[in-house]
Amino acid sequence: MEKLDLFKLHSKEDKPRGWIWVYFKSDILRKEYLKFLNNESQNNIAKKISKNLNCGFSTIAKHLIKLKISKETVELPLPLVIELVNLIDYNLKGRIIDNFESFIYKTNYTKKTTNAVKIINGELAKLIGAHLADGYLSKTYYLQISDGRKDNLEECYKWIKELFIVNPTISLSIKDNTWKCYIHNKIIGKYFENIFEIKSGKKFDIAKEPELIKNSSFEIRKAFAKGVLMFDGGIKSSGIIALTSMSRQLIDNIEEILLLDGINTNKKYNPKK
């Protein structure tokens, strides 16, 4: 299974109040940090990190003490973990990410916890395909996938719940008589934007198979195609399965996957009016 680079969930433009936190097994990082303290003082480390992250020295120092005295697990800001790994040994990155358990996003009034999804599997590939077919992600991390069939949205609900351990909502829109599965979650939004490289806003003719999917196993690529076909495909009266999309690139991607799977296809492009 393809491992995901969860350090990408942090963006340099994120301010301290908007940081994502991570809950993880601290044994490895704590051990390496204590060894690093033999050559560098905690104050100097805090100064370097606070400068790099543009935040208060005392805040960083407090978090470093928290790591130092941690027992088995600890909850720290993700950017602090990234900075520590960069300072101590960048090669620690994979082992540290393997120990991630969940992500937390805090505001003045709420604290949302989301499971740390560390690999790309079939369910995640199908969810990405569904999103590229009939999904929308706002700049405030409101994720919505729509379809005329409720059973498709129920599948989508299960993928999100099982992957991220959160509960999205399914409802019927009276306005256009379509079912919608939606959730407002910054961490899931960051997965789509920063890891899957799917921009927020309307996709229409720019949707395409993410490089992360394309570089994965063929089983993952087939799961992605299934997600797209579930939400953008249909069966004609002749029994032919048809896929319609405004994105020529996405059509080409799905055709490539089907051909590799031994399924013959025909396609045509309608010029934009």
Side-chain angles (χ1 to χ4, degrees):
M1 294 290 184
E2 184 77 21
K3 289 188 176 183
L4 303 177
D5 183 358
L6 300 188
F7 278 13
K8 288 184 177 180
L9 291 176
H10 173 67
S11 302
K12 288 185 177 180
E13 61 270 17
D14 290 344
K15 304 297 181 185
R17 287 189 177 181
W19 280 349
I20 290 173
W21 289 56
V22 59
Y23 177 77
F24 65 104
K25 296 175 183 175
S26 60
D27 295 358
I28 294 174
L29 188 57
R30 178 178 177 273
K31 178 182 176 182
E32 295 299 327
Y33 176 60
L34 290 175
K35 286 165 55 178
F36 192 65
L37 286 175
N38 292 327
N39 302 312
E40 189 82 65
S41 73
Q42 188 161 275
N43 278 352
N44 284 341
I45 296 170
K47 286 176 183 176
K48 288 178 181 179
I49 294 177
S50 62
K51 182 180 179 181
N52 289 344
L53 296 179
N54 194 28
C55 67
F57 165 83
S58 61
T59 300
I60 297 300
K62 178 182 68 176
H63 292 319
L64 292 176
I65 293 171
K66 188 177 179 182
L67 172 64
K68 190 176 178 180
I69 64 173
S70 65
K71 303 291 184 182
E72 296 185 1
T73 59
V74 71
E75 183 181 303
L76 292 172
L78 177 59
L80 171 67
V81 175
I82 295 170
E83 288 293 327
L84 267 179
V85 169
N86 289 338
L87 276 175
I88 298 170
D89 182 358
Y90 186 74
N91 293 320
L92 286 171
K93 180 179 177 179
R95 294 167 65 200
I96 300 302
I97 289 176
D98 284 343
N99 283 323
F100 285 3
E101 295 190 2
S102 60
F103 293 108
I104 305 102
Y105 178 62
K106 304 176 182 181
T107 68
N108 291 334
Y109 308 103
T110 62
K111 179 180 177 180
K112 293 183 178 180
T113 301
T114 304
N115 184 47
V117 178
K118 292 177 277 192
I119 60 170
I120 183 157
N121 59 18
E123 284 67 34
L124 185 55
K126 285 185 281 190
L127 178 62
I128 295 169
H131 174 69
L132 284 171
D134 263 330
Y136 171 78
L137 176 66
S138 75
K139 291 183 178 180
T140 56
Y141 306 111
Y142 172 82
L143 177 71
Q144 174 183 288
I145 298 174
S146 307
D147 197 67
R149 296 182 51 166
K150 185 179 181 182
D151 57 339
N152 278 351
L153 273 301
E154 288 173 339
E155 283 295 305
C156 185
Y157 176 95
K158 284 191 284 188
W159 299 335
I160 295 173
K161 183 174 182 178
E162 291 173 6
L163 288 164
F164 296 102
I165 319 297
V166 294
N167 292 306
T169 300
I170 294 180
S171 67
L172 177 65
S173 172
I174 299 175
K175 183 178 179 181
D176 55 7
N177 198 36
T178 60
W179 289 94
K180 302 182 187 300
C181 178
Y182 55 90
I183 190 167
H184 190 196
N185 187 297
K186 179 175 181 176
I187 296 162
I188 296 177
K190 286 280 192 177
Y191 266 90
F192 277 87
E193 271 195 338
N194 296 4
I195 296 178
F196 310 145
E197 298 181 343
I198 302 171
K199 295 180 180 179
S200 59
K202 297 177 179 178
K203 298 176 297 299
F204 292 138
D205 56 351
I206 63 169
K208 63 179 181 179
E209 181 184 11
E211 288 300 315
L212 188 68
I213 297 287
K214 191 174 288 188
N215 295 328
S216 296
S217 69
F218 187 54
E219 290 303 312
I220 295 297
R221 295 192 73 192
K222 287 199 293 183
F224 167 76
K226 181 177 180 179
V228 173
L229 288 165
M230 278 180 67
F231 287 84
D232 253 354
I235 301 177
K236 294 186 175 183
S237 57
S238 60
I240 295 174
I241 298 174
L243 172 65
T244 304
S245 174
M246 292 181 68
S247 170
R248 179 170 181 161
Q249 182 64 63
L250 185 60
I251 291 289
D252 290 344
N253 294 148
I254 300 303
E255 180 191 38
E256 178 186 330
I257 295 169
L258 294 176
L259 289 173
L260 287 171
D261 203 29
I263 301 172
N264 293 324
T265 66
N266 290 301
K267 66 180 176 183
K268 65 177 181 178
Y269 301 114
N270 292 325
K272 294 181 181 179
K273 295 182 179 179

